[in-house]
Amino acid sequence: MSAHAWLSDMARRLREVRRQRRARAELQAMTDLELRDLGLGRSDLPSVLGGRFEDGFRAQAKRLH
């Protein structure tokens, strides 16, 4: 891997970490009512932040149909 590719990859990873931190802070700062308006509860936050919430939501929707 070239130095340029390595630096580009590191910059991309840092941007992603910052994005995840902002998302976590924004969701944790919301009130329970605001989360409920989004169809979420506090217990859903780890799944949402980990990128697993949508998968579970789709599986649940399939079971209902």
Side-chain angles (χ1 to χ4, degrees), residues 6-7 15 19 26 28 30 36 63 65:
W6 185 84
L7 286 172
R15 283 191 302 271
R19 185 193 67 76
E26 288 177 19
Q28 289 177 337
M30 290 180 148
R36 212 172 326 139
R63 285 192 301 265
H65 285 64

Side-chain angles (χ1 to χ4, degrees), residues 13-31:
R13 289 180 187 191
L14 286 172
R15 283 191 302 271
E16 180 61 19
V17 166
R18 287 183 187 136
R19 185 193 67 76
Q20 289 176 352
R21 284 183 183 164
R22 278 193 309 271
R24 177 176 282 111
E26 288 177 19
L27 286 170
Q28 289 177 337
M30 290 180 148
T31 66

Side-chain angles (χ1 to χ4, degrees), residues 27 30-42 44-45:
L27 286 170
M30 290 180 148
T31 66
D32 289 343
L33 182 60
E34 290 169 325
L35 289 170
R36 212 172 326 139
D37 284 345
L38 297 174
L40 300 172
R42 292 241 171 249
D44 295 320
L45 295 185

